[in-house]
Each structure stands twice: as C-alpha cells, then as structure tokens.
Amino acid sequence: MNFSEIAVNRQSCRSYNSERAVESEKLAAILESARLSPSACNGQPYHITVCRGESAKEVAKATMGMGMNSFAKDAPILLVISEKPYVKSAALGAKIKDNDYRSIDIGILSAYITAEAAAQGLSSCILGWLDDEKIRKICSLDGKTRLVITLGYAKEGDKLRDKKRKTIDELVSYK
C-alpha cells in the first residue's frame, strides 16, 4: 500500500475483533516506524508503553470516562504515549519561539504509528479522552499521558466510512 492509499483507507476503528491477536512482527514494524519518526532536534520527547492483556484492559477502562471510547476494551493492544523532557536545544527553541514542539512531535509520532498500522493491515484509533492519573499508575509513568492509540484488527464487516473533510479550496491557499 502506498501512502496515498493509506491516507484514503485508514480510519479510526471503533469496532475491534477482540479474538484476533496482533502478530509480534507487525507490532515490531509499527514500533520501528515510530522510532524513525522525526522530532525537533531529534529529541523524541516521548515514551511508548505497549499494553497487552490485563494492562490493556485497565488502560482501556481509563479511557472510558463519561461513556467515551467503549470500543477500546476490545483492542488487543493499547499504546500509551507519555511525555519526556525536551533535549536542551529543543527546550531552548520552544522557549525562544514560544512553540510547543513536544506536542508537534507527539502528533508526528502518532501519524507514523497509525500509518504503519494501516500498512500492516491493522486498524487504530487515537484517543485523547483519558484519565492521566490512572494510566500513569497502571504503566508506572513519570511523564504526562498525552494519547492512547488502540491497535488491532477491525471486526469483519467494518466498512470504510466516507471521509468528512474540508475541500482543498477551504484548506489550502496559495500566495
């Protein structure tokens, strides 16, 4: 699958096949793509905690407050993305330029993870609704939990939905 095909076919999965495990080699490919993702000053100010089995169930529960993300309980893998400190040069740049490079880097990381998951035939969903304190305890984290990404195989019959996006004219301008 080329990148354009990934962009067209990748969607946020909300219906996982809880009976089908993710193969170790596919997870390894996803994590390697994550490792290679660009970041400010190559600092990679984040950590990925791979949760499977009971820890995945516990993290899933910590994303389901107020009835949100109920599908997360069926995903066999949850990747917890937590913050780490900036490297010195990125910290200086963030302060001087008043720009949150860490959030940008985590966004890029998430794009690489979800794109590689799609390339591997897996489904994913990026979750921002979460209980940071609970997830920190479950995963023994010292940095703030920023995102959780669910990974797995979609249930059979999970159809590709129409993408609701702005038109190119609404999104892009030329000067």
Side-chain angles (χ1 to χ4, degrees), residues 122-161:
L122 296 170
S123 295
S124 61
C125 189
I126 302 169
L127 311 179
W129 185 274
L130 52 85
D131 186 324
D132 173 50
E133 192 173 309
K134 284 183 183 176
I135 293 174
R136 281 193 204 199
K137 286 180 186 173
I138 295 163
C139 297
S140 303
L141 300 173
D142 55 5
K144 181 178 179 159
T145 307
R146 295 300 302 267
L147 297 171
V148 172
I149 302 175
T150 57
L151 289 176
Y153 287 96
K155 282 186 180 174
E156 195 165 322
D158 187 41
K159 295 182 179 168
L160 185 63
R161 300 179 298 274

mmCIF file of all heavy atoms in Angstrom, residues 122-161:
data_model
loop_
_atom_site.group_PDB
_atom_site.id
_atom_site.type_symbol
_atom_site.label_atom_id
_atom_site.label_comp_id
_atom_site.label_asym_id
_atom_site.label_seq_id
_atom_site.Cartn_x
_atom_site.Cartn_y
_atom_site.Cartn_z
ATOM 1 N N LEU A 122 -3.592 -3.420 9.933
ATOM 2 C CA LEU A 122 -4.224 -3.261 11.241
ATOM 3 C C LEU A 122 -5.036 -1.981 11.290
ATOM 4 O O LEU A 122 -4.825 -1.061 10.499
ATOM 5 C CB LEU A 122 -3.160 -3.220 12.343
ATOM 6 C CG LEU A 122 -2.338 -4.490 12.516
ATOM 7 C CD1 LEU A 122 -1.171 -4.240 13.447
ATOM 8 C CD2 LEU A 122 -3.206 -5.623 13.027
ATOM 9 N N SER A 123 -5.915 -1.925 12.246
ATOM 10 C CA SER A 123 -6.717 -0.733 12.481
ATOM 11 C C SER A 123 -6.219 -0.042 13.738
ATOM 12 O O SER A 123 -5.570 -0.654 14.591
ATOM 13 C CB SER A 123 -8.192 -1.114 12.644
ATOM 14 O OG SER A 123 -8.679 -1.647 11.425
ATOM 15 N N SER A 124 -6.552 1.242 13.857
ATOM 16 C CA SER A 124 -6.093 2.020 15.008
ATOM 17 C C SER A 124 -7.071 3.145 15.288
ATOM 18 O O SER A 124 -7.910 3.488 14.455
ATOM 19 C CB SER A 124 -4.703 2.609 14.733
ATOM 20 O OG SER A 124 -4.755 3.482 13.621
ATOM 21 N N CYS A 125 -6.940 3.723 16.472
ATOM 22 C CA CYS A 125 -7.691 4.915 16.840
ATOM 23 C C CYS A 125 -6.870 5.682 17.869
ATOM 24 O O CYS A 125 -6.334 5.091 18.813
ATOM 25 C CB CYS A 125 -9.059 4.555 17.407
ATOM 26 S SG CYS A 125 -10.156 5.983 17.644
ATOM 27 N N ILE A 126 -6.763 6.981 17.673
ATOM 28 C CA ILE A 126 -6.027 7.845 18.597
ATOM 29 C C ILE A 126 -7.011 8.393 19.618
ATOM 30 O O ILE A 126 -7.994 9.041 19.245
ATOM 31 C CB ILE A 126 -5.344 9.001 17.841
ATOM 32 C CG1 ILE A 126 -4.396 8.463 16.773
ATOM 33 C CG2 ILE A 126 -4.604 9.914 18.818
ATOM 34 C CD1 ILE A 126 -3.882 9.518 15.807
ATOM 35 N N LEU A 127 -6.750 8.154 20.890
ATOM 36 C CA LEU A 127 -7.648 8.578 21.961
ATOM 37 C C LEU A 127 -7.003 9.688 22.787
ATOM 38 O O LEU A 127 -5.905 9.520 23.307
ATOM 39 C CB LEU A 127 -7.970 7.402 22.889
ATOM 40 C CG LEU A 127 -8.411 6.096 22.223
ATOM 41 C CD1 LEU A 127 -8.659 5.032 23.286
ATOM 42 C CD2 LEU A 127 -9.625 6.305 21.349
ATOM 43 N N GLY A 128 -7.696 10.792 22.898
ATOM 44 C CA GLY A 128 -7.232 11.888 23.731
ATOM 45 C C GLY A 128 -8.042 12.014 25.011
ATOM 46 O O GLY A 128 -7.649 12.705 25.938
ATOM 47 N N TRP A 129 -9.187 11.341 25.056
ATOM 48 C CA TRP A 129 -10.030 11.343 26.251
ATOM 49 C C TRP A 129 -9.507 10.241 27.157
ATOM 50 O O TRP A 129 -9.647 9.053 26.858
ATOM 51 C CB TRP A 129 -11.485 11.074 25.861
ATOM 52 C CG TRP A 129 -12.426 11.169 27.008
ATOM 53 C CD1 TRP A 129 -12.749 10.176 27.895
ATOM 54 C CD2 TRP A 129 -13.180 12.315 27.409
ATOM 55 N NE1 TRP A 129 -13.640 10.635 28.825
ATOM 56 C CE2 TRP A 129 -13.923 11.952 28.540
ATOM 57 C CE3 TRP A 129 -13.274 13.608 26.919
ATOM 58 C CZ2 TRP A 129 -14.774 12.833 29.192
ATOM 59 C CZ3 TRP A 129 -14.130 14.482 27.569
ATOM 60 C CH2 TRP A 129 -14.863 14.101 28.687
ATOM 61 N N LEU A 130 -8.868 10.618 28.275
ATOM 62 C CA LEU A 130 -8.241 9.623 29.135
ATOM 63 C C LEU A 130 -8.056 10.177 30.537
ATOM 64 O O LEU A 130 -8.109 11.380 30.762
ATOM 65 C CB LEU A 130 -6.891 9.191 28.542
ATOM 66 C CG LEU A 130 -5.905 10.305 28.165
ATOM 67 C CD1 LEU A 130 -5.063 10.752 29.330
ATOM 68 C CD2 LEU A 130 -5.022 9.834 27.026
ATOM 69 N N ASP A 131 -7.846 9.265 31.465
ATOM 70 C CA ASP A 131 -7.562 9.617 32.854
ATOM 71 C C ASP A 131 -6.048 9.475 33.065
ATOM 72 O O ASP A 131 -5.541 8.367 33.290
ATOM 73 C CB ASP A 131 -8.341 8.704 33.803
ATOM 74 C CG ASP A 131 -8.208 9.106 35.255
ATOM 75 O OD1 ASP A 131 -7.122 9.569 35.674
ATOM 76 O OD2 ASP A 131 -9.200 8.940 36.000
ATOM 77 N N ASP A 132 -5.354 10.598 32.955
ATOM 78 C CA ASP A 132 -3.897 10.609 33.042
ATOM 79 C C ASP A 132 -3.400 9.953 34.333
ATOM 80 O O ASP A 132 -2.499 9.120 34.308
ATOM 81 C CB ASP A 132 -3.404 12.064 32.931
ATOM 82 C CG ASP A 132 -1.916 12.202 33.188
ATOM 83 O OD1 ASP A 132 -1.132 11.447 32.579
ATOM 84 O OD2 ASP A 132 -1.538 13.072 33.987
ATOM 85 N N GLU A 133 -3.988 10.319 35.447
ATOM 86 C CA GLU A 133 -3.521 9.809 36.744
ATOM 87 C C GLU A 133 -3.626 8.284 36.816
ATOM 88 O O GLU A 133 -2.694 7.600 37.250
ATOM 89 C CB GLU A 133 -4.334 10.452 37.870
ATOM 90 C CG GLU A 133 -3.752 10.232 39.236
ATOM 91 C CD GLU A 133 -4.505 11.025 40.302
ATOM 92 O OE1 GLU A 133 -4.690 12.242 40.121
ATOM 93 O OE2 GLU A 133 -4.917 10.398 41.298
ATOM 94 N N LYS A 134 -4.740 7.736 36.380
ATOM 95 C CA LYS A 134 -4.913 6.274 36.403
ATOM 96 C C LYS A 134 -3.913 5.581 35.479
ATOM 97 O O LYS A 134 -3.324 4.569 35.839
ATOM 98 C CB LYS A 134 -6.341 5.895 35.987
ATOM 99 C CG LYS A 134 -7.371 6.130 37.055
ATOM 100 C CD LYS A 134 -8.736 5.664 36.589
ATOM 101 C CE LYS A 134 -9.788 5.979 37.652
ATOM 102 N NZ LYS A 134 -11.145 5.634 37.199
ATOM 103 N N ILE A 135 -3.756 6.134 34.284
ATOM 104 C CA ILE A 135 -2.841 5.497 33.323
ATOM 105 C C ILE A 135 -1.403 5.584 33.818
ATOM 106 O O ILE A 135 -0.643 4.623 33.687
ATOM 107 C CB ILE A 135 -3.012 6.102 31.920
ATOM 108 C CG1 ILE A 135 -4.409 5.743 31.379
ATOM 109 C CG2 ILE A 135 -1.930 5.596 30.965
ATOM 110 C CD1 ILE A 135 -4.776 6.394 30.074
ATOM 111 N N ARG A 136 -1.028 6.686 34.436
ATOM 112 C CA ARG A 136 0.328 6.793 34.998
ATOM 113 C C ARG A 136 0.577 5.697 36.026
ATOM 114 O O ARG A 136 1.653 5.111 36.069
ATOM 115 C CB ARG A 136 0.531 8.152 35.662
ATOM 116 C CG ARG A 136 0.810 9.264 34.712
ATOM 117 C CD ARG A 136 1.296 10.446 35.504
ATOM 118 N NE ARG A 136 1.064 11.704 34.823
ATOM 119 C CZ ARG A 136 1.707 12.809 35.120
ATOM 120 N NH1 ARG A 136 2.604 12.831 36.069
ATOM 121 N NH2 ARG A 136 1.452 13.915 34.468
ATOM 122 N N LYS A 137 -0.420 5.426 36.858
ATOM 123 C CA LYS A 137 -0.271 4.367 37.872
ATOM 124 C C LYS A 137 -0.180 2.996 37.224
ATOM 125 O O LYS A 137 0.679 2.186 37.583
ATOM 126 C CB LYS A 137 -1.433 4.415 38.857
ATOM 127 C CG LYS A 137 -1.354 5.571 39.824
ATOM 128 C CD LYS A 137 -2.520 5.584 40.780
ATOM 129 C CE LYS A 137 -2.475 6.840 41.645
ATOM 130 N NZ LYS A 137 -3.662 6.978 42.481
ATOM 131 N N ILE A 138 -1.064 2.720 36.272
ATOM 132 C CA ILE A 138 -1.071 1.416 35.599
ATOM 133 C C ILE A 138 0.266 1.149 34.921
ATOM 134 O O ILE A 138 0.813 0.045 35.004
ATOM 135 C CB ILE A 138 -2.214 1.346 34.557
ATOM 136 C CG1 ILE A 138 -3.581 1.414 35.251
ATOM 137 C CG2 ILE A 138 -2.105 0.091 33.690
ATOM 138 C CD1 ILE A 138 -4.739 1.758 34.306
ATOM 139 N N CYS A 139 0.801 2.155 34.252
ATOM 140 C CA CYS A 139 2.019 1.998 33.434
ATOM 141 C C CYS A 139 3.297 2.442 34.140
ATOM 142 O O CYS A 139 4.370 2.405 33.533
ATOM 143 C CB CYS A 139 1.858 2.786 32.131
ATOM 144 S SG CYS A 139 0.508 2.193 31.097
ATOM 145 N N SER A 140 3.196 2.863 35.392
ATOM 146 C CA SER A 140 4.351 3.342 36.162
ATOM 147 C C SER A 140 5.090 4.456 35.418
ATOM 148 O O SER A 140 6.310 4.403 35.231
ATOM 149 C CB SER A 140 5.315 2.193 36.475
ATOM 150 O OG SER A 140 4.651 1.175 37.173
ATOM 151 N N LEU A 141 4.351 5.468 34.997
ATOM 152 C CA LEU A 141 4.910 6.570 34.214
ATOM 153 C C LEU A 141 5.211 7.769 35.091
ATOM 154 O O LEU A 141 4.460 8.074 36.019
ATOM 155 C CB LEU A 141 3.925 6.994 33.119
ATOM 156 C CG LEU A 141 3.542 5.921 32.110
ATOM 157 C CD1 LEU A 141 2.435 6.421 31.198
ATOM 158 C CD2 LEU A 141 4.755 5.494 31.313
ATOM 159 N N ASP A 142 6.283 8.476 34.749
ATOM 160 C CA ASP A 142 6.586 9.721 35.441
ATOM 161 C C ASP A 142 6.199 10.941 34.607
ATOM 162 O O ASP A 142 6.146 12.049 35.109
ATOM 163 C CB ASP A 142 8.057 9.793 35.850
ATOM 164 C CG ASP A 142 9.011 9.596 34.688
ATOM 165 O OD1 ASP A 142 8.553 9.487 33.534
ATOM 166 O OD2 ASP A 142 10.225 9.547 34.937
ATOM 167 N N GLY A 143 5.905 10.743 33.318
ATOM 168 C CA GLY A 143 5.511 11.847 32.448
ATOM 169 C C GLY A 143 4.037 11.805 32.144
ATOM 170 O O GLY A 143 3.388 10.757 32.212
ATOM 171 N N LYS A 144 3.491 12.953 31.803
ATOM 172 C CA LYS A 144 2.072 13.099 31.499
ATOM 173 C C LYS A 144 1.667 12.208 30.328
ATOM 174 O O LYS A 144 2.364 12.132 29.322
ATOM 175 C CB LYS A 144 1.782 14.561 31.159
ATOM 176 C CG LYS A 144 0.350 14.835 30.845
ATOM 177 C CD LYS A 144 0.113 16.309 30.576
ATOM 178 C CE LYS A 144 -1.351 16.494 30.232
ATOM 179 N NZ LYS A 144 -1.798 17.835 30.430
ATOM 180 N N THR A 145 0.535 11.529 30.466
ATOM 181 C CA THR A 145 -0.030 10.746 29.376
ATOM 182 C C THR A 145 -0.691 11.701 28.399
ATOM 183 O O THR A 145 -1.574 12.470 28.772
ATOM 184 C CB THR A 145 -1.095 9.753 29.894
ATOM 185 O OG1 THR A 145 -0.549 8.980 30.948
ATOM 186 C CG2 THR A 145 -1.591 8.862 28.776
ATOM 187 N N ARG A 146 -0.254 11.672 27.157
ATOM 188 C CA ARG A 146 -0.809 12.583 26.151
ATOM 189 C C ARG A 146 -1.845 11.924 25.270
ATOM 190 O O ARG A 146 -2.847 12.531 24.918
ATOM 191 C CB ARG A 146 0.315 13.155 25.298
ATOM 192 C CG ARG A 146 1.270 14.033 26.072
ATOM 193 C CD ARG A 146 0.586 15.243 26.711
ATOM 194 N NE ARG A 146 -0.093 16.079 25.748
ATOM 195 C CZ ARG A 146 0.434 17.139 25.151
ATOM 196 N NH1 ARG A 146 1.641 17.521 25.457
ATOM 197 N NH2 ARG A 146 -0.242 17.810 24.265
ATOM 198 N N LEU A 147 -1.595 10.681 24.866
ATOM 199 C CA LEU A 147 -2.505 9.962 23.980
ATOM 200 C C LEU A 147 -2.449 8.477 24.278
ATOM 201 O O LEU A 147 -1.456 7.975 24.807
ATOM 202 C CB LEU A 147 -2.093 10.138 22.509
ATOM 203 C CG LEU A 147 -2.111 11.533 21.919
ATOM 204 C CD1 LEU A 147 -1.471 11.512 20.533
ATOM 205 C CD2 LEU A 147 -3.528 12.064 21.835
ATOM 206 N N VAL A 148 -3.505 7.789 23.873
ATOM 207 C CA VAL A 148 -3.514 6.330 23.840
ATOM 208 C C VAL A 148 -3.939 5.958 22.427
ATOM 209 O O VAL A 148 -4.881 6.531 21.885
ATOM 210 C CB VAL A 148 -4.498 5.736 24.879
ATOM 211 C CG1 VAL A 148 -4.634 4.236 24.692
ATOM 212 C CG2 VAL A 148 -4.054 6.064 26.301
ATOM 213 N N ILE A 149 -3.224 5.014 21.830
ATOM 214 C CA ILE A 149 -3.564 4.550 20.486
ATOM 215 C C ILE A 149 -3.957 3.085 20.573
ATOM 216 O O ILE A 149 -3.175 2.254 21.043
ATOM 217 C CB ILE A 149 -2.391 4.730 19.495
ATOM 218 C CG1 ILE A 149 -1.979 6.210 19.426
ATOM 219 C CG2 ILE A 149 -2.780 4.191 18.112
ATOM 220 C CD1 ILE A 149 -0.769 6.482 18.571
ATOM 221 N N THR A 150 -5.195 2.788 20.150
ATOM 222 C CA THR A 150 -5.653 1.403 20.117
ATOM 223 C C THR A 150 -5.176 0.760 18.819
ATOM 224 O O THR A 150 -5.135 1.403 17.772
ATOM 225 C CB THR A 150 -7.188 1.316 20.207
ATOM 226 O OG1 THR A 150 -7.779 2.080 19.144
ATOM 227 C CG2 THR A 150 -7.700 1.823 21.546
ATOM 228 N N LEU A 151 -4.806 -0.512 18.900
ATOM 229 C CA LEU A 151 -4.355 -1.273 17.731
ATOM 230 C C LEU A 151 -5.008 -2.646 17.725
ATOM 231 O O LEU A 151 -5.150 -3.273 18.773
ATOM 232 C CB LEU A 151 -2.840 -1.507 17.776
ATOM 233 C CG LEU A 151 -1.899 -0.356 17.553
ATOM 234 C CD1 LEU A 151 -0.466 -0.825 17.745
ATOM 235 C CD2 LEU A 151 -2.080 0.232 16.168
ATOM 236 N N GLY A 152 -5.362 -3.094 16.548
ATOM 237 C CA GLY A 152 -5.909 -4.441 16.399
ATOM 238 C C GLY A 152 -6.521 -4.608 15.029
ATOM 239 O O GLY A 152 -6.387 -3.750 14.153
ATOM 240 N N TYR A 153 -7.199 -5.725 14.861
ATOM 241 C CA TYR A 153 -7.918 -5.990 13.624
ATOM 242 C C TYR A 153 -9.368 -5.552 13.798
ATOM 243 O O TYR A 153 -9.986 -5.834 14.831
ATOM 244 C CB TYR A 153 -7.872 -7.481 13.279
ATOM 245 C CG TYR A 153 -6.523 -7.933 12.799
ATOM 246 C CD1 TYR A 153 -5.611 -8.513 13.670
ATOM 247 C CD2 TYR A 153 -6.160 -7.768 11.467
ATOM 248 C CE1 TYR A 153 -4.358 -8.921 13.227
ATOM 249 C CE2 TYR A 153 -4.910 -8.168 11.016
ATOM 250 C CZ TYR A 153 -4.030 -8.740 11.906
ATOM 251 O OH TYR A 153 -2.787 -9.143 11.462
ATOM 252 N N ALA A 154 -9.885 -4.887 12.796
ATOM 253 C CA ALA A 154 -11.294 -4.484 12.829
ATOM 254 C C ALA A 154 -12.162 -5.737 12.728
ATOM 255 O O ALA A 154 -11.767 -6.739 12.129
ATOM 256 C CB ALA A 154 -11.603 -3.535 11.683
ATOM 257 N N LYS A 155 -13.345 -5.673 13.318
ATOM 258 C CA LYS A 155 -14.299 -6.761 13.161
ATOM 259 C C LYS A 155 -14.665 -6.899 11.690
ATOM 260 O O LYS A 155 -14.686 -5.905 10.949
ATOM 261 C CB LYS A 155 -15.577 -6.477 13.958
ATOM 262 C CG LYS A 155 -15.455 -6.731 15.426
ATOM 263 C CD LYS A 155 -16.792 -6.559 16.103
ATOM 264 C CE LYS A 155 -16.661 -6.822 17.586
ATOM 265 N NZ LYS A 155 -17.918 -6.530 18.300
ATOM 266 N N GLU A 156 -14.949 -8.117 11.289
ATOM 267 C CA GLU A 156 -15.355 -8.347 9.907
ATOM 268 C C GLU A 156 -16.613 -7.530 9.617
ATOM 269 O O GLU A 156 -17.509 -7.422 10.458
ATOM 270 C CB GLU A 156 -15.631 -9.831 9.688
ATOM 271 C CG GLU A 156 -15.701 -10.193 8.229
ATOM 272 C CD GLU A 156 -15.622 -11.687 8.000
ATOM 273 O OE1 GLU A 156 -14.871 -12.356 8.716
ATOM 274 O OE2 GLU A 156 -16.319 -12.138 7.099
ATOM 275 N N GLY A 157 -16.641 -6.915 8.457
ATOM 276 C CA GLY A 157 -17.789 -6.107 8.063
ATOM 277 C C GLY A 157 -17.679 -4.649 8.463
ATOM 278 O O GLY A 157 -18.580 -3.862 8.176
ATOM 279 N N ASP A 158 -16.578 -4.287 9.137
ATOM 280 C CA ASP A 158 -16.359 -2.882 9.494
ATOM 281 C C ASP A 158 -16.018 -2.140 8.205
ATOM 282 O O ASP A 158 -14.929 -2.274 7.681
ATOM 283 C CB ASP A 158 -15.226 -2.760 10.517
ATOM 284 C CG ASP A 158 -15.057 -1.357 11.051
ATOM 285 O OD1 ASP A 158 -16.077 -0.689 11.317
ATOM 286 O OD2 ASP A 158 -13.898 -0.927 11.199
ATOM 287 N N LYS A 159 -16.982 -1.383 7.706
ATOM 288 C CA LYS A 159 -16.836 -0.752 6.394
ATOM 289 C C LYS A 159 -16.111 0.578 6.469
ATOM 290 O O LYS A 159 -16.185 1.282 7.468
ATOM 291 C CB LYS A 159 -18.225 -0.551 5.773
ATOM 292 C CG LYS A 159 -18.914 -1.858 5.470
ATOM 293 C CD LYS A 159 -20.249 -1.641 4.817
ATOM 294 C CE LYS A 159 -20.868 -2.998 4.531
ATOM 295 N NZ LYS A 159 -22.233 -2.934 4.161
ATOM 296 N N LEU A 160 -15.454 0.901 5.367
ATOM 297 C CA LEU A 160 -14.800 2.197 5.236
ATOM 298 C C LEU A 160 -15.868 3.275 5.171
ATOM 299 O O LEU A 160 -16.787 3.209 4.363
ATOM 300 C CB LEU A 160 -13.928 2.218 3.967
ATOM 301 C CG LEU A 160 -13.085 3.460 3.745
ATOM 302 C CD1 LEU A 160 -12.066 3.629 4.869
ATOM 303 C CD2 LEU A 160 -12.378 3.380 2.400
ATOM 304 N N ARG A 161 -15.765 4.244 6.073
ATOM 305 C CA ARG A 161 -16.734 5.338 6.119
ATOM 306 C C ARG A 161 -16.299 6.459 5.179
ATOM 307 O O ARG A 161 -15.109 6.618 4.904
ATOM 308 C CB ARG A 161 -16.846 5.881 7.546
ATOM 309 C CG ARG A 161 -17.310 4.840 8.565
ATOM 310 C CD ARG A 161 -17.393 5.404 9.977
ATOM 311 N NE ARG A 161 -16.144 5.872 10.531
ATOM 312 C CZ ARG A 161 -15.264 5.109 11.166
ATOM 313 N NH1 ARG A 161 -15.463 3.816 11.299
ATOM 314 N NH2 ARG A 161 -14.168 5.630 11.668
#
